[in-house]
Amino acid sequence: MNATFTSGKELEKMDPVFGQLSFDNHEQIVFCNDKDTGLKAIIGIHNSVMGPALGGTRMWNYANEWEALNDVLRLSRGMTFKSAITGLNIGGGKAVIIGDAKTQKTPELMRKFGEFVHSLSGRYITAEDVGMETKDMDTVREVTPYVTGISEEKGGSGNPSPITAYGVFLGMKAAAKHQFGSDVLEGKKVLVQGIGHVGEALVDYLTKEGAQVTITDINEERLYNVAQKYNASIYTGLDLYTADVDIYAPCAMGATLNEESIHKLKAKVIAGAANNQLANETIHGKMLTEKGILYAPDFLINAGGIINVYAELAHYGKAEIMSKTENIYNTTLEIIDFAEKNNCTTHQAALTIAQNRIDARKLENNKL
Ligand code: NAD
């Protein structure tokens, strides 16, 4: 079990799929191509022991197809552990569509993607991720029932991002309780990197609690709008990893915790929504622990979104969504405690507990 962020050049040297560093016994990888709509997508089913593989679709302008493959391998694996640690009866999967969501996403392309999802007969169930909106899932729903995160008007659970943000906020509070002796974030300096769907909702929770919020985003227009709306400061320094803050919340893309950034970090707590924050989960998880930085595992605290979309499959309502999301607070404290007692990183602690659940389920399944 070793997920590593690899550069495009390094990736080229490896065997295409099974030789990828990010390959971790994934069950099935599906390459989807459609000339007419321009669709190029990859669906990754990592593990279906706990149930059908559920996970969002990301549309991103990848530098090359290797990067897209690496991303879907890492993301789908992350979903397996996210659902297992959250106690959901689903496996881990994810999809990526190669392209610019702003200019290349069309209803035809989304429907074609939905047809590919449908061809898997429910082994993979999709939802939204970066570059996707609830309305895109409604479009996918026109051609397949194997989609969640559809709009409330169409009988779905709606946009998962506010619930994700709520879970991240609670995971952050639990980490703060352990690190600073109190879970009250009032007065705490928090840097939120990426103020998209989840980041903005997190800024809302943080400012309501009285935290001193600084934000950063590559989308300048959004940055100024969100800063104004919540009276948040915009990070103006040259290197955000050197920012003098108590808490760093990565809410953009993954792999921001790496050799370079960890050396610079002043934050004592890391708690954010982005998936795969550790560039190398073994090396960088350890580096954080050695530096005395408490890392709230991403796949644990950003599970609000999967809890929300899973409600459509398990047929539970808002009250249960909220109580399952609120549980992230206690689970975060339990994971920190497990890590201390077992002398491992918080990331390893969460992985171990999730893997134990998967192994136990596999034994049960084999007995049937
Ligand atoms: P989003 O696309 O709405 O927002 C991402 C934001 O990050 C955008 O505003 C973008 O401009 C910004 N960004 C991109 N690269 C950046 C960089 N280098 N520096 C600063 N800002 C940058 O996505 P989202 O739905 O808010 O998701 C954010 C992260 O959380 C993603 O990693 C996603 O996989 C993860 N996540 C989201 C959900 C969910 O419910 N939406 C659930 C779990 C995990």
Side-chain angles (χ1 to χ4, degrees), residues 58 60 75 79 82 94 102 128-133 159-165 168 192-200 216-220 222 240-241 250-254 256 272-276 298 302-306:
R58 173 173 294 190
W60 191 252
L75 289 167
M79 293 310 295
K82 184 184 305 200
K94 202 92 180 181
K102 282 202 197 92
E128 52 268 82
D129 190 59
V130 176
M132 288 290 144
E133 310 281 341
N159 177 11
S161 304
I163 305 287
T164 302
V168 170
V192 181
Q193 177 188 32
I195 35 85
H197 290 101
V198 182
E200 178 179 348
T216 167
D217 200 290
I218 49 171
N219 182 334
E220 286 197 7
R222 216 181 142 72
L240 68 99
Y241 300 107
C251 295
M253 302 304 276
T256 61
N275 285 308
N276 299 327
D298 48 12
N302 73 12
I306 196 80

Side-chain angles (χ1 to χ4, degrees), residues 1 60 62 64 87 97 124 148 151 202-203 256 259-260 297 301 319 363:
M1 273 194 322
W60 191 252
Y62 292 98
N64 55 53
I97 298 178
Y124 168 67
T148 56
S151 61
L202 179 63
V203 170
T256 61
E259 216 88 6
E260 229 179 284
I301 71 166
L363 277 178

Side-chain angles (χ1 to χ4, degrees), residues 228-251:
Q228 263 200 331
K229 190 167 164 191
Y230 300 95
N231 201 17
S233 313
I234 293 176
Y235 181 73
T236 51
L238 288 177
D239 186 345
L240 68 99
Y241 300 107
T242 62
D244 180 20
V245 291
D246 303 301
I247 301 169
Y248 163 47
C251 295

Side-chain angles (χ1 to χ4, degrees), residues 287-321:
M287 269 177 80
L288 289 172
T289 310
E290 283 164 5
K291 245 194 114 175
I293 299 173
L294 180 58
Y295 170 65
D298 48 12
F299 66 92
L300 162 66
I301 71 166
N302 73 12
I306 196 80
I307 292 169
N308 193 61
V309 296
Y310 178 64
E312 290 174 31
L313 303 177
H315 306 291
Y316 56 68
K318 278 273 177 255
E320 199 161 343
I321 291 174

